[in-house]
Coordinates of all heavy atoms in Angstrom, one line a residue:
V850 N 0.8 -1.2 0.0 CA 0.0 0.0 0.0 C 0.9 1.3 0.0 O 0.8 2.1 -0.9 CB -1.0 0.0 1.2 CG1 -1.7 1.3 1.3 CG2 -1.9 -1.1 1.1
A851 N 1.7 1.4 1.0 CA 2.5 2.6 1.1 C 3.4 2.8 -0.1 O 3.7 3.9 -0.5 CB 3.4 2.5 2.4
R852 N 4.0 1.7 -0.6 CA 4.9 1.9 -1.8 C 4.2 2.4 -3.0 O 4.8 3.1 -3.8 CB 5.6 0.5 -2.1 CG 6.6 0.2 -1.1 CD 7.3 -1.1 -1.5 NE 6.4 -2.2 -1.1 CZ 6.6 -3.4 -1.3 NH1 7.7 -3.8 -2.0 NH2 5.8 -4.4 -0.9
R853 N 2.9 2.1 -3.2 CA 2.2 2.6 -4.4 C 1.7 4.0 -4.3 O 1.8 4.8 -5.2 CB 1.1 1.6 -4.7 CG 1.6 0.3 -5.2 CD 0.5 -0.6 -5.7 NE -0.4 -1.0 -4.7 CZ -0.3 -2.1 -4.0 NH1 0.7 -2.9 -4.2 NH2 -1.2 -2.4 -3.1
R854 N 1.1 4.3 -3.1 CA 0.4 5.6 -3.0 C 0.6 6.2 -1.6 O -0.3 6.4 -0.8 CB -1.1 5.4 -3.2 CG -1.5 5.1 -4.6 CD -1.1 6.1 -5.7 NE -1.4 7.5 -5.5 CZ -2.5 8.1 -5.9 NH1 -3.3 7.5 -6.7 NH2 -2.7 9.3 -5.7
P855 N 1.9 6.6 -1.3 CA 2.1 7.2 0.0 C 1.4 8.5 0.2 O 1.1 8.9 1.4 CB 3.6 7.4 0.0 CG 4.0 7.4 -1.4 CD 3.1 6.5 -2.1
D856 N 1.0 9.2 -0.9 CA 0.3 10.4 -0.7 C -1.2 10.2 -0.3 O -1.8 11.2 0.1 CB 0.3 11.2 -2.0 CG -0.2 10.4 -3.2 OD1 0.0 9.2 -3.3 OD2 -0.9 11.0 -4.0
M857 N -1.6 9.0 -0.4 CA -3.0 8.7 0.1 C -3.1 8.2 1.5 O -4.2 8.1 2.0 CB -3.6 7.6 -0.8 CG -3.6 7.9 -2.3 SD -4.6 9.4 -2.7 CE -6.3 8.7 -2.4
L858 N -2.0 8.0 2.1 CA -2.0 7.6 3.5 C -2.0 8.8 4.5 O -1.5 9.9 4.1 CB -0.7 6.7 3.8 CG -0.7 5.4 3.2 CD1 0.7 4.7 3.3 CD2 -1.8 4.5 3.8
P859 N -2.5 8.7 5.7 CA -2.4 9.8 6.6 C -1.0 10.2 6.8 O -0.1 9.4 6.8 CB -3.0 9.2 7.9 CG -3.6 7.9 7.5 CD -3.0 7.5 6.3
S860 N -0.8 11.5 7.0 CA 0.6 12.0 7.2 C 1.0 12.0 8.6 O 2.2 12.1 8.9 CB 0.7 13.5 6.7 OG -0.3 14.3 7.3
T861 N 0.1 11.7 9.5 CA 0.4 11.6 11.0 C -0.1 10.4 11.6 O -1.2 9.9 11.2 CB -0.1 12.9 11.7 OG1 -1.5 13.0 11.6 CG2 0.6 14.2 11.2
A862 N 0.5 10.0 12.7 CA 0.0 8.9 13.5 C -1.0 9.4 14.4 O -1.3 10.6 14.5 CB 1.2 8.3 14.3
S863 N -1.6 8.5 15.2 CA -2.7 8.9 16.1 C -2.1 9.9 17.2 O -2.9 10.7 17.8 CB -3.3 7.7 16.8 OG -2.3 7.0 17.5
S864 N -0.8 9.9 17.4 CA -0.1 10.8 18.3 C 0.0 12.2 17.7 O 0.4 13.1 18.4 CB 1.3 10.3 18.6 OG 2.0 10.2 17.4
G865 N -0.3 12.4 16.5 CA -0.1 13.7 15.8 C 1.2 13.9 15.2 O 1.5 14.9 14.6
E866 N 2.1 12.9 15.4 CA 3.5 13.0 14.8 C 3.5 12.6 13.4 O 2.8 11.7 12.9 CB 4.4 12.1 15.6 CG 4.5 12.5 17.1 CD 5.1 11.4 18.0 OE1 4.5 10.3 18.0 OE2 6.0 11.7 18.7
K867 N 4.4 13.2 12.6 CA 4.6 12.9 11.2 C 5.1 11.5 11.1 O 5.9 11.0 11.9 CB 5.6 13.8 10.5 CG 5.0 15.2 10.3 CD 6.0 16.0 9.4 CE 5.4 17.4 9.2 NZ 6.3 18.2 8.3
V868 N 4.8 10.8 10.0 CA 5.2 9.4 9.7 C 6.0 9.4 8.4 O 5.6 10.1 7.5 CB 4.0 8.4 9.7 CG1 4.5 7.0 9.3 CG2 3.2 8.5 11.0
A869 N 7.0 8.6 8.4 CA 7.8 8.4 7.1 C 8.0 6.9 7.0 O 7.9 6.1 7.9 CB 9.2 9.0 7.2
F870 N 8.2 6.5 5.7 CA 8.5 5.0 5.4 C 9.6 4.9 4.5 O 10.0 5.8 3.7 CB 7.2 4.4 4.9 CG 7.0 4.6 3.4 CD1 7.4 3.6 2.5 CD2 6.5 5.7 2.9 CE1 7.2 3.8 1.1 CE2 6.3 5.9 1.6 CZ 6.6 5.0 0.7
Q871 N 10.2 3.7 4.5 CA 11.3 3.3 3.6 C 10.8 2.0 2.9 O 10.4 1.1 3.6 CB 12.6 3.1 4.3 CG 13.7 2.8 3.3 CD 15.0 2.5 4.0 OE1 15.0 1.8 5.0 NE2 16.1 2.9 3.5
A872 N 10.7 2.0 1.6 CA 10.2 0.8 0.9 C 11.2 -0.3 0.7 O 10.8 -1.4 0.3 CB 9.6 1.3 -0.4
G873 N 12.4 0.0 0.9 CA 13.5 -1.1 0.7 C 14.8 -0.5 1.1 O 15.0 0.7 1.1
I874 N 15.7 -1.4 1.5 CA 17.0 -1.0 1.9 C 17.7 -0.2 0.9 O 17.7 -0.5 -0.3 CB 17.9 -2.3 2.3 CG1 17.3 -3.0 3.4 CG2 19.3 -1.9 2.6 CD1 17.9 -4.4 3.7
G875 N 18.3 0.9 1.3 CA 19.0 1.8 0.4 C 18.2 2.9 -0.3 O 18.8 3.7 -0.9
T876 N 16.9 2.8 -0.2 CA 16.0 3.8 -0.8 C 15.8 5.0 0.1 O 15.9 4.8 1.4 CB 14.7 3.2 -1.2 OG1 14.0 2.7 0.0 CG2 14.8 2.0 -2.2
P877 N 15.5 6.1 -0.4 CA 15.3 7.3 0.5 C 14.0 7.0 1.3 O 13.1 6.3 0.9 CB 15.0 8.4 -0.4 CG 15.6 8.0 -1.7 CD 15.5 6.5 -1.8
W878 N 14.0 7.6 2.5 CA 12.7 7.6 3.3 C 11.8 8.6 2.7 O 12.2 9.7 2.3 CB 13.1 8.0 4.8 CG 13.7 6.8 5.5 CD1 15.0 6.4 5.4 CD2 13.1 6.0 6.5 NE1 15.2 5.3 6.3 CE2 14.0 5.1 6.9 CE3 11.8 5.9 7.0 CZ2 13.8 4.1 7.9 CZ3 11.5 4.9 8.0 CH2 12.5 4.0 8.4
R879 N 10.5 8.3 2.8 CA 9.5 9.3 2.3 C 8.5 9.7 3.4 O 8.0 8.8 4.1 CB 8.7 8.6 1.1 CG 9.6 8.4 -0.1 CD 8.8 7.9 -1.3 NE 7.9 9.0 -1.7 CZ 7.0 8.9 -2.6 NH1 6.9 7.8 -3.3 NH2 6.2 9.8 -2.9
V880 N 8.3 11.0 3.5 CA 7.4 11.4 4.5 C 6.0 11.3 3.9 O 5.7 11.6 2.7 CB 7.6 12.9 4.8 CG1 6.6 13.4 5.8 CG2 9.1 13.1 5.3
L881 N 5.1 10.7 4.7 CA 3.7 10.4 4.2 C 2.9 11.6 4.1 O 3.1 12.7 4.7 CB 3.0 9.4 5.1 CG 3.6 8.0 5.1 CD1 3.0 7.1 6.1 CD2 3.5 7.4 3.7
G882 N 1.8 11.5 3.3 CA 0.8 12.6 3.2 C 1.1 13.4 1.9 O 2.1 13.2 1.2
P883 N 0.2 14.3 1.6 CA 0.2 15.0 0.3 C 1.4 16.0 0.2 O 1.9 16.3 -0.9 CB -1.1 15.8 0.3 CG -1.5 15.9 1.7 CD -1.0 14.6 2.4
D884 N 2.0 16.4 1.3 CA 3.2 17.3 1.3 C 4.5 16.5 1.1 O 5.5 17.0 0.7 CB 3.2 18.2 2.5 CG 2.0 19.1 2.6 OD1 1.5 19.5 1.5 OD2 1.6 19.4 3.7
G885 N 4.5 15.3 1.6 CA 5.6 14.3 1.4 C 7.0 14.8 1.6 O 7.2 15.6 2.6
G886 N 7.9 14.5 0.7 CA 9.3 14.8 0.8 C 10.1 13.6 1.1 O 9.5 12.5 1.5
T887 N 11.4 13.6 0.9 CA 12.3 12.5 1.2 C 13.5 12.9 2.0 O 13.8 14.1 2.0 CB 12.8 11.9 -0.2 OG1 13.6 12.8 -0.9 CG2 11.6 11.4 -1.0
F888 N 14.1 11.9 2.6 CA 15.4 12.2 3.3 C 16.1 10.9 3.4 O 15.6 9.8 3.2 CB 15.1 12.8 4.7 CG 14.4 11.9 5.7 CD1 15.1 11.1 6.6 CD2 13.0 11.8 5.7 CE1 14.5 10.2 7.5 CE2 12.3 10.9 6.6 CZ 13.1 10.2 7.5
R889 N 17.4 11.0 3.7 CA 18.3 9.8 3.9 C 18.5 9.7 5.4 O 18.7 10.7 6.1 CB 19.6 10.0 3.2 CG 19.5 10.0 1.7 CD 19.9 8.7 1.2 NE 19.7 8.7 -0.3 CZ 19.4 7.6 -0.9 NH1 19.3 6.5 -0.3 NH2 19.3 7.6 -2.2
W890 N 18.4 8.5 5.9 CA 18.6 8.2 7.4 C 20.0 8.7 7.8 O 21.0 8.3 7.2 CB 18.4 6.7 7.6 CG 18.1 6.4 9.0 CD1 18.9 5.9 10.0 CD2 16.8 6.5 9.7 NE1 18.3 5.7 11.2 CE2 17.0 6.1 11.0 CE3 15.5 7.0 9.3 CZ2 15.9 6.1 12.0 CZ3 14.5 6.9 10.2 CH2 14.7 6.5 11.5
D891 N 20.0 9.4 8.9 CA 21.3 9.9 9.5 C 21.4 9.2 10.8 O 21.0 9.7 11.9 CB 21.2 11.4 9.7 CG 22.4 12.0 10.4 OD1 23.5 11.4 10.2 OD2 22.2 13.0 11.0
L892 N 22.0 8.0 10.8 CA 22.1 7.1 11.9 C 22.8 7.7 13.1 O 23.9 8.2 13.0 CB 22.8 5.8 11.6 CG 22.7 4.7 12.6 CD1 21.3 4.3 12.9 CD2 23.6 3.5 12.2
L893 N 22.0 7.8 14.2 CA 22.6 8.3 15.5 C 22.6 7.2 16.5 O 22.0 6.1 16.3 CB 21.7 9.5 16.0 CG 21.5 10.7 15.1 CD1 20.5 11.7 15.7 CD2 22.8 11.3 14.8
D894 N 23.3 7.4 17.6 CA 23.4 6.4 18.7 C 22.0 6.0 19.2 O 21.2 6.9 19.4 CB 24.2 7.0 19.8 CG 24.6 6.0 20.9 OD1 23.6 5.5 21.6 OD2 25.8 5.7 21.1
R895 N 21.8 4.7 19.3 CA 20.5 4.2 19.8 C 20.1 4.8 21.2 O 18.9 4.7 21.5 CB 20.5 2.7 19.8 CG 20.3 2.1 18.4 CD 20.2 0.6 18.5 NE 19.8 0.0 17.3 CZ 18.6 -0.2 16.9 NH1 17.6 0.1 17.7 NH2 18.3 -0.7 15.7
N896 N 21.1 5.2 22.0 CA 20.8 5.7 23.3 C 20.4 7.2 23.3 O 20.1 7.7 24.4 CB 22.0 5.5 24.2 CG 22.3 4.0 24.4 OD1 21.4 3.2 24.6 ND2 23.6 3.7 24.4
T897 N 20.3 7.8 22.1 CA 19.8 9.2 22.0 C 18.4 9.3 22.5 O 18.1 10.4 23.0 CB 19.9 9.6 20.5 OG1 21.3 9.4 20.1 CG2 19.6 11.1 20.4
V898 N 17.6 8.3 22.3 CA 16.2 8.3 22.8 C 16.1 7.1 23.8 O 16.6 6.0 23.6 CB 15.3 8.1 21.6 CG1 13.8 7.9 22.0 CG2 15.4 9.3 20.7
S899 N 15.4 7.3 24.9 CA 15.2 6.3 25.9 C 14.5 5.0 25.4 O 13.7 5.1 24.5 CB 14.5 6.8 27.1 OG 13.1 7.0 26.8
D900 N 14.7 3.9 26.0 CA 14.0 2.7 25.7 C 12.5 2.8 25.9 O 11.7 2.3 25.0 CB 14.5 1.5 26.5 CG 15.9 1.0 26.2 OD1 16.4 1.4 25.0 OD2 16.6 0.3 27.0
A901 N 12.1 3.5 26.9 CA 10.6 3.7 27.1 C 10.0 4.5 26.0 O 8.9 4.2 25.5 CB 10.4 4.5 28.4
E902 N 10.7 5.5 25.5 CA 10.2 6.3 24.4 C 10.2 5.5 23.1 O 9.2 5.6 22.3 CB 11.1 7.6 24.2 CG 10.4 8.6 23.3 CD 10.9 10.0 23.6 OE1 11.8 10.2 24.4 OE2 10.3 10.9 22.9
K903 N 11.2 4.7 22.9 CA 11.3 3.8 21.7 C 10.1 2.8 21.7 O 9.5 2.5 20.7 CB 12.6 3.1 21.6 CG 13.7 4.0 21.1 CD 15.0 3.3 20.8 CE 15.8 3.2 22.0 NZ 17.2 2.7 21.8
E904 N 9.8 2.3 22.9 CA 8.6 1.4 23.1 C 7.3 2.1 22.7 O 6.5 1.5 22.1 CB 8.6 0.8 24.5 CG 7.8 -0.4 24.7 CD 8.1 -1.5 23.7 OE1 9.3 -1.8 23.5 OE2 7.2 -2.1 23.1
D905 N 7.2 3.4 23.1 CA 6.0 4.1 22.8 C 5.9 4.4 21.3 O 4.8 4.2 20.7 CB 6.1 5.5 23.6 CG 4.8 6.3 23.3 OD1 3.7 5.8 23.7 OD2 4.9 7.4 22.8
V906 N 7.0 4.6 20.7 CA 7.1 4.8 19.2 C 6.7 3.5 18.5 O 5.9 3.5 17.6 CB 8.5 5.3 18.8 CG1 8.7 5.1 17.2 CG2 8.8 6.7 19.1
R907 N 7.2 2.4 19.0 CA 6.8 1.1 18.4 C 5.4 0.8 18.5 O 4.7 0.4 17.5 CB 7.6 0.0 19.2 CG 7.6 -1.3 18.5 CD 8.5 -2.3 19.2 NE 8.4 -3.6 18.7 CZ 9.0 -4.1 17.7 NH1 9.9 -3.4 17.1 NH2 8.8 -5.4 17.3
S908 N 4.7 1.2 19.6 CA 3.3 1.0 19.8 C 2.5 1.9 18.9 O 1.6 1.5 18.2 CB 3.0 1.3 21.3 OG 1.6 1.5 21.4
T909 N 3.0 3.2 18.8 CA 2.3 4.2 17.9 C 2.4 3.7 16.4 O 1.4 3.8 15.7 CB 3.0 5.5 18.0 OG1 2.8 6.0 19.4 CG2 2.4 6.6 17.1
L910 N 3.5 3.2 16.0 CA 3.7 2.8 14.6 C 3.0 1.5 14.3 O 2.5 1.3 13.2 CB 5.2 2.6 14.3 CG 5.9 4.0 14.1 CD1 7.4 3.8 13.9 CD2 5.4 4.8 12.9
A911 N 2.9 0.6 15.3 CA 2.2 -0.7 15.1 C 0.7 -0.4 14.9 O 0.1 -1.0 14.0 CB 2.3 -1.6 16.4
K912 N 0.1 0.6 15.6 CA -1.3 1.0 15.4 C -1.4 1.6 14.1 O -2.4 1.3 13.3 CB -1.7 1.9 16.5 CG -3.2 2.4 16.4 CD -3.7 3.1 17.5 CE -5.1 3.6 17.4 NZ -5.9 3.2 16.3
F913 N -0.5 2.5 13.7 CA -0.6 3.2 12.4 C -0.6 2.1 11.3 O -1.4 2.2 10.3 CB 0.6 4.2 12.2 CG 0.6 4.9 10.9 CD1 -0.1 6.1 10.8 CD2 1.2 4.4 9.8 CE1 -0.2 6.8 9.6 CE2 1.2 5.1 8.6 CZ 0.5 6.2 8.5
A914 N 0.3 1.2 11.4 CA 0.5 0.1 10.3 C -0.8 -0.7 10.3 O -1.3 -1.0 9.2 CB 1.7 -0.8 10.7
E915 N -1.3 -1.1 11.4 CA -2.5 -1.9 11.4 C -3.7 -1.2 10.8 O -4.5 -1.7 10.0 CB -2.8 -2.3 12.9 CG -4.1 -3.2 13.0 CD -4.4 -3.6 14.4 OE1 -3.4 -3.7 15.2 OE2 -5.5 -3.8 14.7
D916 N -3.9 0.1 11.2 CA -5.0 0.9 10.7 C -4.9 1.1 9.2 O -5.9 1.4 8.6 CB -5.0 2.3 11.4 CG -5.4 2.2 12.9 OD1 -5.9 1.1 13.3 OD2 -5.2 3.2 13.6
N917 N -3.7 1.0 8.6 CA -3.5 1.4 7.2 C -3.1 0.2 6.4 O -2.7 0.4 5.2 CB -2.5 2.5 7.1 CG -3.1 3.8 7.6 OD1 -4.0 4.4 7.0 ND2 -2.6 4.2 8.8
G918 N -3.1 -1.0 6.9 CA -2.8 -2.2 6.1 C -1.4 -2.3 5.7 O -1.1 -2.8 4.6
I919 N -0.4 -1.8 6.5 CA 1.0 -1.9 6.2 C 1.6 -3.0 7.0 O 1.6 -3.0 8.2 CB 1.7 -0.5 6.5 CG1 1.0 0.6 5.8 CG2 3.2 -0.6 6.3 CD1 1.4 2.0 6.3
P920 N 2.2 -4.0 6.3 CA 2.9 -5.1 7.0 C 4.2 -4.6 7.7 O 5.0 -3.9 7.1 CB 3.2 -6.1 5.9 CG 3.3 -5.3 4.6 CD 2.4 -4.1 4.8
L921 N 4.4 -5.1 8.9 CA 5.6 -4.7 9.6 C 6.4 -5.9 10.1 O 7.2 -5.8 11.0 CB 5.3 -3.8 10.8 CG 5.0 -2.4 10.6 CD1 4.7 -1.7 11.9 CD2 6.1 -1.7 9.9
S922 N 6.2 -7.1 9.5 CA 6.9 -8.3 9.9 C 8.3 -8.2 9.5 O 8.8 -7.3 8.7 CB 6.3 -9.5 9.2 OG 6.5 -9.4 7.8
R923 N 9.1 -9.1 10.1 CA 10.6 -9.1 9.7 C 10.8 -9.3 8.3 O 11.9 -8.8 7.7 CB 11.3 -10.2 10.5 CG 11.4 -9.9 12.0 CD 12.4 -11.0 12.6 NE 12.4 -10.8 14.1 CZ 13.3 -10.1 14.7 NH1 14.1 -9.4 14.0 NH2 13.3 -10.0 16.0
D924 N 9.9 -10.0 7.6 CA 10.1 -10.2 6.1 C 9.7 -9.1 5.3 O 10.0 -9.1 4.1 CB 9.3 -11.5 5.8 CG 9.7 -12.7 6.5 OD1 10.9 -12.8 6.9 OD2 8.9 -13.6 6.7
S925 N 9.0 -8.1 5.8 CA 8.5 -7.0 5.1 C 9.6 -6.0 4.8 O 10.4 -5.6 5.7 CB 7.4 -6.3 5.8 OG 7.0 -5.1 5.1
P926 N 9.8 -5.5 3.5 CA 10.8 -4.5 3.2 C 10.4 -3.1 3.7 O 11.3 -2.2 3.7 CB 10.9 -4.5 1.7 CG 9.5 -4.9 1.3 CD 9.0 -5.9 2.3
V927 N 9.2 -2.9 4.1 CA 8.7 -1.6 4.5 C 9.1 -1.3 6.0 O 8.9 -2.1 6.9 CB 7.1 -1.5 4.4 CG1 6.7 -0.1 4.9 CG2 6.7 -1.7 3.0
K928 N 9.7 -0.1 6.2 CA 10.1 0.4 7.5 C 9.3 1.7 7.8 O 9.1 2.4 6.8 CB 11.6 0.6 7.6 CG 12.4 -0.6 7.4 CD 13.9 -0.2 7.5 CE 14.8 -1.4 7.2 NZ 16.2 -1.0 7.3
L929 N 8.9 1.9 9.0 CA 8.2 3.1 9.4 C 9.0 3.8 10.5 O 9.7 3.2 11.3 CB 6.8 2.7 9.9 CG 5.8 2.2 9.0 CD1 4.5 1.8 9.7 CD2 5.5 3.2 7.9
A930 N 8.8 5.1 10.5 CA 9.4 6.0 11.6 C 8.4 7.1 11.9 O 7.7 7.6 11.0 CB 10.7 6.5 11.2
V931 N 8.5 7.7 13.1 CA 7.8 8.9 13.4 C 8.8 10.0 13.8 O 9.9 9.7 14.3 CB 6.8 8.7 14.6 CG1 5.7 7.8 14.3 CG2 7.5 8.4 15.9
L932 N 8.4 11.2 13.5 CA 9.2 12.4 13.9 C 8.8 12.8 15.3 O 7.7 13.3 15.5 CB 8.9 13.5 12.9 CG 9.8 14.8 13.1 CD1 11.3 14.5 12.9 CD2 9.3 15.9 12.1
R933 N 9.7 12.5 16.2 CA 9.5 12.8 17.6 C 10.5 13.8 18.1 O 11.7 13.5 18.2 CB 9.6 11.5 18.5 CG 9.4 11.8 19.9 CD 8.9 10.6 20.7 NE 7.6 10.2 20.3 CZ 6.9 9.3 20.9 NH1 7.4 8.6 21.9 NH2 5.6 9.0 20.5
G934 N 10.1 15.1 18.2 CA 11.0 16.1 18.6 C 12.0 16.3 17.5 O 11.6 16.4 16.3
P935 N 13.3 16.3 17.8 CA 14.3 16.6 16.8 C 14.8 15.3 16.1 O 15.8 15.3 15.4 CB 15.5 17.2 17.6 CG 15.3 16.6 19.0 CD 13.8 16.4 19.2
Y936 N 14.1 14.2 16.3 CA 14.6 12.9 15.7 C 13.5 12.1 15.0 O 12.3 12.2 15.5 CB 15.1 12.0 16.9 CG 16.1 12.6 17.7 CD1 15.9 12.9 19.1 CD2 17.4 12.9 17.2 CE1 16.8 13.6 19.9 CE2 18.4 13.6 18.0 CZ 18.1 13.8 19.4 OH 19.0 14.5 20.1
W937 N 13.9 11.4 14.0 CA 13.1 10.3 13.5 C 13.4 9.1 14.3 O 14.6 8.8 14.5 CB 13.4 10.1 12.0 CG 12.8 11.1 11.1 CD1 13.6 12.1 10.5 CD2 11.5 11.2 10.6 NE1 12.7 12.9 9.7 CE2 11.4 12.4 9.8 CE3 10.3 10.5 10.9 CZ2 10.3 12.8 9.1 CZ3 9.2 11.0 10.2 CH2 9.1 12.1 9.4
V938 N 12.4 8.4 14.7 CA 12.6 7.1 15.5 C 11.8 6.0 14.8 O 10.6 6.1 14.5 CB 12.0 7.3 17.0 CG1 12.3 6.0 17.7 CG2 12.6 8.5 17.7
S939 N 12.6 5.0 14.4 CA 12.0 3.9 13.6 C 11.3 2.9 14.5 O 11.6 2.8 15.7 CB 13.0 3.2 12.7 OG 13.8 2.4 13.5
Y940 N 10.4 2.1 13.9 CA 9.8 0.9 14.5 C 10.8 0.0 15.2 O 10.6 -0.5 16.2 CB 8.9 0.2 13.5 CG 8.1 -1.0 14.1 CD1 7.0 -0.8 14.8 CD2 8.6 -2.3 13.9 CE1 6.3 -1.9 15.3 CE2 7.9 -3.4 14.4 CZ 6.7 -3.1 15.1 OH 6.1 -4.2 15.6
A941 N 11.9 -0.2 14.5 CA 13.0 -1.1 15.0 C 13.8 -0.4 16.1 O 14.7 -1.1 16.6 CB 13.9 -1.5 13.8
G942 N 13.6 0.9 16.3 CA 14.4 1.6 17.4 C 15.6 2.4 16.9 O 16.3 2.9 17.7
G943 N 15.8 2.5 15.6 CA 16.8 3.3 15.1 C 16.5 4.8 15.2 O 15.3 5.2 15.3
I944 N 17.5 5.6 15.3 CA 17.4 7.1 15.5 C 18.1 7.8 14.3 O 19.2 7.5 14.0 CB 18.0 7.5 16.8 CG1 17.7 6.6 18.0 CG2 17.6 9.0 17.1 CD1 16.2 6.5 18.4
S945 N 17.4 8.8 13.8 CA 18.0 9.7 12.8 C 17.7 11.2 13.2 O 16.7 11.4 13.8 CB 17.4 9.4 11.4 OG 17.8 10.4 10.5
S946 N 18.6 12.1 12.8 CA 18.3 13.5 13.0 C 17.1 13.8 12.1 O 16.8 13.1 11.1 CB 19.5 14.3 12.5 OG 19.7 14.1 11.1
A947 N 16.3 14.8 12.5 CA 15.1 15.2 11.8 C 15.4 15.6 10.4 O 14.7 15.3 9.4 CB 14.4 16.3 12.5
A948 N 16.6 16.3 10.1 CA 16.9 16.7 8.8 C 17.4 15.6 7.9 O 17.4 15.7 6.7 CB 18.0 17.8 8.9
G949 N 17.9 14.5 8.5 CA 18.5 13.4 7.7 C 19.9 13.8 7.3 O 20.4 14.9 7.6
R950 N 20.5 13.0 6.4 CA 21.8 13.4 5.8 C 21.6 13.8 4.4 O 20.7 13.4 3.7 CB 22.8 12.3 6.1 CG 22.5 11.0 5.3 CD 23.6 10.0 5.6 NE 23.3 8.7 5.2 CZ 23.4 8.3 3.9 NH1 23.8 9.0 3.0 NH2 23.0 7.0 3.6
A951 N 22.6 14.6 3.9 CA 22.5 15.0 2.5 C 22.8 13.9 1.5 O 23.4 12.9 1.9 CB 23.5 16.2 2.3

């Protein structure tokens, strides 16, 4: 779903935070919604965000994925992240700067 029409998906999770997805390894991340945009993941230390906050992000993204028919299994190439403060935080717990890398 997300790979075909990301502009048709909600741009925010139930928390009100922006959502982005990556359709496959090495591809740019795309911000969902009609305003969209892309960025490259800027990998930061996993300890930049607390485990409790990462667990909250995981729960938020699991609900978003379920509500929108997006598979999040280990076999799925689709990855999701939310913009939480100055960071993108992925379902898997990875952290990127909000701006991403050039």
Side-chain angles (χ1 to χ4, degrees):
V850 172
R852 283 181 284 176
R853 289 191 293 271
R854 293 301 309 265
D856 58 320
M857 300 299 288
L858 291 169
S860 58
T861 59
S863 58
S864 62
E866 296 162 308
K867 286 187 178 184
V868 177
F870 82 100
Q871 184 185 39
I874 295 171
T876 63
W878 284 76
R879 295 189 62 184
V880 180
L881 293 175
D884 298 329
T887 63
F888 66 95
R889 295 257 177 212
W890 198 259
D891 177 28
L892 187 62
L893 301 176
D894 188 295
R895 283 184 169 269
N896 295 322
T897 304
V898 173
S899 72
D900 287 343
E902 196 157 3
K903 284 187 270 189
E904 196 55 44
D905 185 57
V906 164
R907 190 172 174 88
S908 164
T909 298
L910 287 172
K912 179 171 179 7
F913 181 87
E915 183 179 330
D916 291 350
N917 292 287
I919 300 169
L921 283 181
S922 68
R923 288 191 184 270
D924 299 331
S925 173
V927 176
K928 297 179 181 178
L929 291 176
V931 295
L932 184 61
R933 180 154 292 187
Y936 307 112
W937 285 103
V938 182
S939 76
Y940 180 78
I944 315 296
S945 170
S946 63
R950 65 179 168 82

